[in-house]
């Protein structure tokens, strides 16, 4: 994993602050909780697509955006800032949801790798 990839994906300053203040165990708990909550957020976004609900789409993206920011996933947060306000048809939103899911998984791998490297 390159330093550039980590710095583009994670808010290292925020995460280092968490580490210095709370320790690695708390970061691991934050990661686990985010991972668990992500399945709910993505399911809610999917429901918004199937119900063709703009308000549910925005609300669900907003919740996931906040969660991503709180665990330092800056690239994902940035993506969700855009998705939260987007107006698109269901077909396009299905595509966007698939891309979001893929990016979330990739960014979580970067976080986990960074976390594993901590002493």
């Amino acid at each position: 994993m390159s330093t550039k990839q980590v710095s583009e994906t994670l808010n290292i300053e925020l995460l280092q602050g968490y580490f210095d203040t709370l320790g690695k165990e708390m970061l691991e708990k934050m990661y686990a909780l985010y991972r668990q909550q992500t399945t709910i957020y993505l399911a809610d976004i999917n429901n918004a697509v199937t119900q063709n609900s703009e308000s549910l789409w925005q609300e669900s993206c907003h919740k996931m955006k906040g969660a991503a920011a709180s665990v330092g996933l800056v690239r994902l947060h940035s993506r969700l800032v855009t998705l939260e306000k987007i107006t698109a048809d269901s077909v396009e939103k299905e595509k966007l949801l698939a891309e979001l899911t893929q990016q979330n998984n990739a960014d979580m791998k970067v976080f986990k790798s960074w976390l594993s490297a901590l002493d």
Side-chain angles (χ1 to χ4, degrees):
M1 183 134 334
S2 73
T3 304
K4 182 180 181 202
Q5 184 180 17
V6 171
S7 67
E8 288 175 351
T9 305
L10 304 176
N11 181 339
I12 297 300
E13 187 175 323
L14 174 72
L15 293 173
Q16 188 64 49
Y18 286 161
F19 176 70
D20 294 343
T21 306
L22 304 171
K24 184 175 180 178
E25 185 177 333
M26 186 57 73
L27 276 171
E28 289 170 340
K29 287 180 182 179
M30 288 172 61
Y31 172 83
L33 178 62
Y34 176 79
R35 189 172 151 193
Q36 181 182 30
Q37 290 297 114
T38 289
T39 58
I40 296 167
Y41 298 138
L42 292 171
D44 288 347
I45 294 169
N46 185 58
N47 286 337
V49 173
T50 58
Q51 294 175 24
N52 200 23
S53 170
E54 285 295 322
S55 61
L56 184 57
W57 172 272
Q58 289 176 351
E59 177 185 323
S60 301
C61 287
H62 181 78
K63 287 179 185 177
M64 189 170 176
K65 176 184 76 171
S70 71
V71 296
L73 296 172
V74 291
R75 185 174 69 161
L76 188 64
H77 173 267
S78 178
R79 176 68 179 246
L80 284 156
V81 166
T82 302
L83 291 180
E84 179 182 12
K85 302 297 182 196
I86 202 161
T87 54
D89 63 26
S90 293
V91 173
E92 180 65 19
K93 284 185 175 176
E94 284 178 9
K95 180 181 169 214
L96 293 168
L97 174 58
E99 292 168 358
L100 176 63
T101 301
Q102 185 177 19
Q103 182 180 349
N104 183 66
N105 291 338
D107 290 1
M108 286 175 51
K109 285 180 185 176
V110 172
F111 186 100
K112 184 68 172 171
S113 176
W114 175 83
L115 188 58
S116 295
L118 292 176
D119 290 332

